[in-house]
Amino acid sequence: MSDGDDGRGPAVRDVETILILDFGSQYAQLIARRVREAGAFSLLVSPDTPIETLRKHDPKGLILSGGPSSINEAGSPRCDERLFDLGVPVLGICYGMQLGCHLLGCDVEAAEAREYGRSRLTIESAEGLLANIPQETAVWMSHGDQVMGLSTEFETLASTPTCPHAAVRHLKLPFHGIQFHPEVTHTPHGVDILRNFLYEVCGCRGTWRMSDFLETACREVAERVGEDRVICGLSGGVDSSVVAALLSRAIGDRLTCIFVDNGLLRKKERELVESTFRDHFDIDLRVEDASEEFLSDLAGVTDPQEKRRLIGHRFIDVFKRSAAEVAKEGRGEARYLAQGTLYPDVIESGHGHAGQAANIKLHHNVGGLPEDLGFDLIEPLRDLFKDEVRALGEVLGLPSHIVWRHPFPGPGLAVRVLGEITRDKLDLIRECDEILLEEIVAKNLYRSTDQVFAVLLPVQSVGVMGDGRTYDSVVAVRAVTTSDFMTADWARIPHDVLATISSRIINEVPGVNRVVYDISSKPPATIEWE
């Protein structure tokens, strides 16, 4: 839903947009979320995006993010120097402040010592950007350089004991700079400062609402599709379910949903999808049992990327076959394929920024899609974070057990059975996963966790059962909490619950004699193991 020049479809209309030029900050996605939470739409764009492309978004304001580079380093990232010609307010954060001040004639030098951690901010001008912020407040610093020589066209708004110009504004241009990070929780009034930028400086009205997004998305899908037919790969997860419901509202009976039983599903997954969408929604749902084909493709394959590639190619073959059958029925040729790509997918794949090559990670959505799809892609959720998708699902009236369902990867259990895929291994991990989720639900932990699953490891360990020695499989349990799936922390499941899960799996699933719990966070680990 952004500008066509970067390959992402038409721009969102009637929405107040803040563009965030991402200079490599580890907090850039967090800035985007904070802006949306405050009631404005946000998009991350490449820092070198030409001003002409920025103008097409009709932004209400720009934010220049922080970043790891030094302004004084050769090759450090820059933005279009005509940035201020847009005439909209600009907020520079950390590196973004240094770059903006540098472009406007200030001196940026290395600080005496790199500053990292909390500092005390003293506000000298409590207006506009810093309106209603306590005169003394804590802020989070993370910088090596800082603005030292402020030009006469600037005024200092706030300082810290080690940073004389911790917040500044230009007297003629709508530019503000802050050396600290307002987006992190370590800056208690940081969200208030961002809200001040949106409402006091940019004049936003807080128009970013899911109901408005739904109306805009439906209109744009209908305009793009016209009289053509759309194929939607329905998995039963929240993303594809929301896509299906949105498309059904947008184009009605020109939508055909295809659920592919690839043999890599959770236990009773097929029955759940059929009962939910065939019985409760007026959607043309086709179920394709292609499990033999998928498992045949995967026989002997151990490399995770090759698994995804094979799965993605087979998915497209099945979609094409189903689309041909729909056409034979006289329901029209399917030109479009819809899938539930989300904003974290776009960002992590490296093409959320204008001008960067499209390189979708193979694990997103249905897997490693071939370059020649035979369909045009429709991705109506690609500008949304996960929690926003759930909110949209509620607006669409989807049942809560779908809206709040934990994610399940497009390649299915293929990336939760490490190593070679066999029917016996799939059956084993299905049983483990069902026990795990039963206990999580029974202990009322499902909604307080965001993803919980079992992984079959490609190792065996020695154990003792009864009077005999065993040499059986090891299962890892993974449970995480996250707000957007960009980062995640391992869930602190109570030890007694973990004990019950381990005991049940070992006693009830033949072939397992050891259960381990994954206590790694993202980053550095990913959520899925493959």
Side-chain angles (χ1 to χ4, degrees):
M1 309 236 174
S2 38
D3 187 79
D5 286 357
D6 61 10
R8 299 177 57 194
V12 175
R13 294 170 294 194
D14 307 323
V15 172
E16 297 168 335
T17 300
I18 302 295
L19 298 181
I20 301 165
L21 277 64
D22 180 6
F23 290 94
S25 170
Q26 60 179 317
Y27 303 126
Q29 294 84 15
L30 190 54
I31 299 172
R33 288 191 52 76
R34 294 287 185 254
V35 170
R36 294 191 187 188
E37 289 166 359
F41 186 63
S42 62
L43 282 176
L44 290 167
V45 298
S46 177
D48 57 359
T49 302
I51 191 172
E52 294 80 9
T53 302
L54 297 176
R55 184 176 284 114
K56 289 179 181 178
H57 288 276
D58 191 24
K60 291 286 288 185
L62 305 178
I63 295 178
L64 312 183
S65 85
S69 302
S70 167
I71 289 294
N72 299 312
E73 289 177 358
S76 58
R78 292 290 195 269
C79 60
D80 192 319
E81 295 191 4
R82 301 170 296 165
L83 191 75
F84 301 105
D85 293 346
L86 287 172
V88 301
V90 179
L91 174 63
I93 297 175
C94 198
Y95 179 89
M97 170 188 175
Q98 297 161 15
L99 177 58
C101 288
H102 170 77
L103 293 175
L104 295 172
C106 301
D107 294 328
V108 178
E109 302 175 11
E112 292 186 6
R114 178 175 176 82
E115 189 172 18
Y116 183 84
R118 284 188 180 236
S119 187
R120 199 71 185 165
L121 185 77
T122 300
I123 294 176
E124 301 171 19
S125 178
E127 298 178 0
L129 185 69
L130 300 179
N132 302 312
I133 305 299
Q135 186 177 10
E136 296 281 336
T137 185
V139 295
W140 185 262
M141 291 284 198
S142 178
H143 64 98
D145 294 347
Q146 63 185 34
V147 176
M148 302 296 283
L150 206 61
S151 83
T152 57
E153 294 186 322
F154 277 86
E155 73 165 328
T156 299
L157 304 179
S159 60
T160 72
T162 58
C163 184
H165 310 297
V168 302
R169 78 174 181 94
H170 196 276
L171 297 174
K172 297 179 181 178
L173 297 173
F175 174 73
H176 290 76
I178 51 178
Q179 187 57 66
F180 53 89
H181 289 275
E183 67 274 20
V184 300
T185 56
H186 304 298
T187 301
H189 290 280
V191 171
D192 299 323
I193 293 171
L194 288 174
R195 288 183 63 85
N196 281 342
F197 177 68
L198 297 179
Y199 294 100
E200 301 295 329
V201 180
C202 298
C204 290
R205 294 170 288 112
T207 59
W208 172 237
R209 298 288 185 273
M210 266 307 132
S211 56
D212 296 329
F213 176 88
L214 175 58
E215 180 182 343
T216 300
C218 286
R219 180 173 67 244
E220 292 181 348
V221 166
E223 289 175 357
R224 182 180 177 194
V225 171
E227 297 302 315
D228 290 317
R229 176 161 293 276
V230 177
I231 293 291
C232 176
L234 183 61
S235 69
V238 59
D239 303 336
S240 67
S241 298
V242 170
V243 169
L246 187 153
L247 291 174
S248 178
R249 179 174 295 198
I251 61 174
D253 61 5
R254 281 173 288 126
L255 169 69
T256 295
C257 289
I258 299 174
F259 177 79
V260 179
D261 184 348
N262 57 8
L264 305 167
L265 304 174
R266 287 172 288 197
K267 195 171 183 178
K268 299 181 180 177
E269 184 82 6
R270 176 172 171 173
E271 292 83 352
L272 174 66
V273 170
E274 286 192 274
S275 64
T276 299
F277 286 90
R278 185 164 282 156
D279 298 344
H280 297 90
F281 290 89
D282 186 20
I283 288 178
D284 178 26
L285 174 64
R286 313 293 177 99
V287 176
E288 294 282 347
D289 188 345
S291 55
E292 292 289 345
E293 298 166 73
F294 279 90
L295 296 183
S296 176
D297 291 340
L298 293 169
V301 177
T302 59
D303 180 75
Q305 293 293 77
E306 181 64 8
K307 289 180 186 178
R308 296 186 186 96
R309 189 190 70 80
L310 291 168
I311 291 167
H313 281 243
R314 179 60 66 181
F315 262 115
I316 294 302
D317 288 343
V318 176
F319 288 151
K320 286 180 178 178
R321 186 169 68 214
S322 296
E325 293 172 0
V326 171
K328 287 179 182 179
E329 296 171 6
R331 300 174 67 88
E333 183 177 351
R335 176 183 172 189
Y336 297 96
L337 172 65
Q339 62 175 3
T341 305
L342 305 190
Y343 202 33
D345 301 343
V346 175
I347 295 168
E348 290 183 351
S349 66
H351 74 297
H353 297 160
Q356 293 187 359
N359 180 30
I360 300 175
K361 274 187 176 179
L362 292 182
H363 72 266
H364 291 146
N365 305 304
V366 299
L369 300 181
E371 291 185 10
D372 183 17
L373 291 177
F375 299 99
D376 291 334
L377 279 180
I378 286 185
E379 299 170 308
L381 309 182
R382 63 177 293 130
D383 286 331
L384 300 184
F385 289 98
K386 190 75 175 188
D387 59 323
E388 294 173 324
V389 173
R390 295 193 196 281
L392 181 58
E394 291 182 327
V395 172
L396 284 162
L398 286 169
S400 59
H401 72 271
I402 291 291
V403 171
W404 293 101
R405 199 172 193 208
H406 287 184
F408 187 64
L413 297 178
V415 293
R416 293 180 180 174
V417 173
L418 277 57
E420 183 181 0
I421 305 294
T422 67
R423 288 186 182 275
D424 288 344
K425 290 180 180 179
L426 290 168
D427 289 340
L428 183 150
I429 202 63
R430 282 192 190 99
E431 296 301 324
C432 295
D433 199 62
E434 184 174 44
I435 290 170
L436 170 60
L437 291 176
E438 279 180 0
E439 291 301 323
I440 292 295
V441 171
K443 300 302 188 294
N444 200 29
L445 294 171
Y446 193 80
R447 288 285 292 269
S448 61
T449 53
D450 296 291
Q451 196 163 358
V452 179
F453 56 91
V455 181
L456 180 61
L457 305 185
V459 296
Q460 290 181 301
S461 69
V462 175
V464 176
M465 288 190 178
D467 295 324
R469 177 182 181 275
T470 62
Y471 192 58
D472 284 333
S473 297
V474 179
V475 168
V477 171
R478 179 75 158 140
V480 300
T481 58
T482 177
S483 60
D484 53 22
F485 291 87
M486 296 296 301
T487 61
D489 193 14
W490 59 278
R492 272 59 171 178
I493 303 295
H495 289 178
D496 60 331
V497 178
L498 291 175
T500 300
I501 291 168
S502 175
S503 177
R504 283 197 59 193
I505 288 176
I506 292 172
N507 287 307
E508 297 177 30
V509 183
V512 179
N513 69 357
R514 193 177 297 269
V515 174
V516 298
Y517 189 54
D518 183 347
I519 59 169
S520 50
S521 298
K522 175 188 180 182
T526 54
I527 294 177
E528 297 288 347
W529 276 51
E530 281 194 340

